[in-house]
Amino acid sequence: MVETQNATESIELLLNGTVQGAALTLDETLLAIKQGIPLYIVLIFDVSSGADVLMVKPHIKSLSELRGARIGVETTAVGALMLKKIMAKAGLLAADIKIVHINSNSHFTSWQNNTIDALITYEPTATKIEQLGVTRLFDSREIPNTIFDVLAVRRNAAQAYSQQLQALISSHFKAQRAWKTNPIDTAYRLSKRLGAQAEDIQLFYRGLQLPDLIYNRHILDGSASELNALATELATLINMNPNLIPADFFTAAYLPKS
């Protein structure tokens, strides 16, 4: 396993062949496809339902008041998608705001340094910033079934390491069941891995739906029409030709049988 600081770095490692798979959002996976990386989506980790957030200074009361604001966002990742949705809802153009590119690992310090008026971020950073007196103005509950965290794997690697990939995905669902059935014990186990206090682990999952094996099999199997429609919409948002999306982009072939 190769750990990265943000999605931008993960895509770069996929691009140069250092890694064969990565945990990305669906739109980030499409960005990788756009750059010529042949990928399968083999697992849905989670669906954002409030976890991705627009944080603003208290004097900003509505989206229209973002005009002229300095908005921090990781412009090559899911933040760019959030920004487009926010701008459309606010009726603003790119010229109406000042975009400040900030990698996700610098979100908290950028806010502390007072270099921005608003920030597109996600949990648990959103809750930590909120404790500074910052306001949540928009989150992913307003764009349901849009932001998916997925496991994207190079096609040749998925085929060459199919048994290992199945074992990895099976372990994911085993850990998911442990979290759902024994959250206290699991939180202490995760705290060591995540470098956080056990009582804070819940923050990492705030605003996230965690699809089980049955849901994954349903949404990844067959034509995956729901995801295909969303992928086409997202491709348009990131100025990508939808025809570049492979017909078998989503596959349930590597999910465990039970």
Side-chain angles (χ1 to χ4, degrees):
M1 186 173 68
V2 178
E3 296 193 50
T4 62
Q5 293 296 316
N6 49 62
T8 303
E9 185 178 342
S10 295
I11 292 174
E12 288 175 353
L13 294 181
L14 276 172
L15 189 62
N16 64 31
T18 301
V19 301
Q20 285 73 51
L24 301 168
T25 58
L26 176 53
D27 62 294
E28 290 161 358
T29 307
L30 289 171
L31 283 172
I33 290 280
K34 185 179 179 181
Q35 295 179 60
I37 308 172
L39 297 171
Y40 283 133
I41 287 181
V42 299
L43 174 66
I44 306 294
F45 286 118
D46 56 64
V47 185
S48 181
S49 182
D52 293 270
V53 186
L54 171 68
M55 312 296 295
V56 299
K57 289 184 174 179
H59 72 273
I60 299 175
K61 305 296 184 183
S62 67
L63 293 180
S64 61
E65 292 179 31
L66 289 171
R67 189 180 301 275
R70 300 166 299 172
I71 302 179
V73 59
E74 187 174 4
T75 53
T76 56
V78 70
L81 171 62
M82 280 281 288
L83 181 61
K84 286 189 176 184
K85 293 286 189 179
I86 291 166
M87 297 289 284
K89 187 165 185 178
L92 298 175
L93 302 175
D96 295 326
I97 62 170
K98 300 172 184 175
I99 298 174
V100 181
H101 176 77
I102 302 174
N103 286 332
S104 58
N105 49 306
S106 302
H107 282 185
F108 189 76
T109 54
S110 294
W111 194 273
Q112 285 182 311
N113 294 337
N114 196 34
T115 58
I116 49 178
D117 306 301
L119 174 67
I120 295 172
T121 189
Y122 50 84
E123 297 293 357
T125 305
T127 293
K128 293 179 180 178
I129 293 176
E130 190 174 28
Q131 293 168 354
L132 301 176
V134 184
T135 304
R136 293 172 182 251
L137 190 59
F138 180 97
D139 66 39
S140 51
R141 287 175 295 182
E142 300 189 47
I143 48 172
N145 295 318
T146 299
I147 300 175
F148 289 78
D149 282 319
V150 305
L151 178 58
V153 181
R154 278 184 171 271
R155 288 168 171 260
N156 59 347
Q159 295 159 3
Y161 299 100
S162 60
Q163 290 184 334
Q164 293 91 329
L165 186 55
Q166 289 172 354
L168 173 66
I169 295 174
S170 180
S171 294
H172 162 76
F173 287 115
K174 182 179 179 181
Q176 186 189 80
R177 288 192 293 271
W179 172 251
K180 291 180 177 179
T181 58
N182 196 351
I184 295 177
D185 175 71
T186 308
Y188 277 96
R189 294 173 184 269
L190 286 172
S191 66
K192 298 176 183 178
R193 179 69 187 83
L194 298 174
Q197 296 296 316
E199 54 270 25
D200 292 333
I201 296 300
Q202 285 280 358
L203 294 179
F204 287 78
Y205 295 91
R206 182 178 177 182
L208 290 178
Q209 299 174 23
L210 303 177
D212 59 13
L213 174 59
I214 294 173
Y215 177 91
N216 264 272
R217 190 175 290 126
H218 163 72
I219 202 165
L220 292 176
D221 207 4
S223 62
S225 58
E226 297 171 63
L227 287 178
N228 285 327
L230 176 60
T232 299
E233 178 188 357
L234 293 177
T236 302
L237 281 172
I238 63 172
N239 299 315
M240 172 186 175
N241 183 350
N243 293 329
L244 294 176
I245 303 173
D248 57 349
F249 186 33
F250 306 96
T251 177
Y254 303 96
L255 295 177
K257 302 303 179 184
S258 62

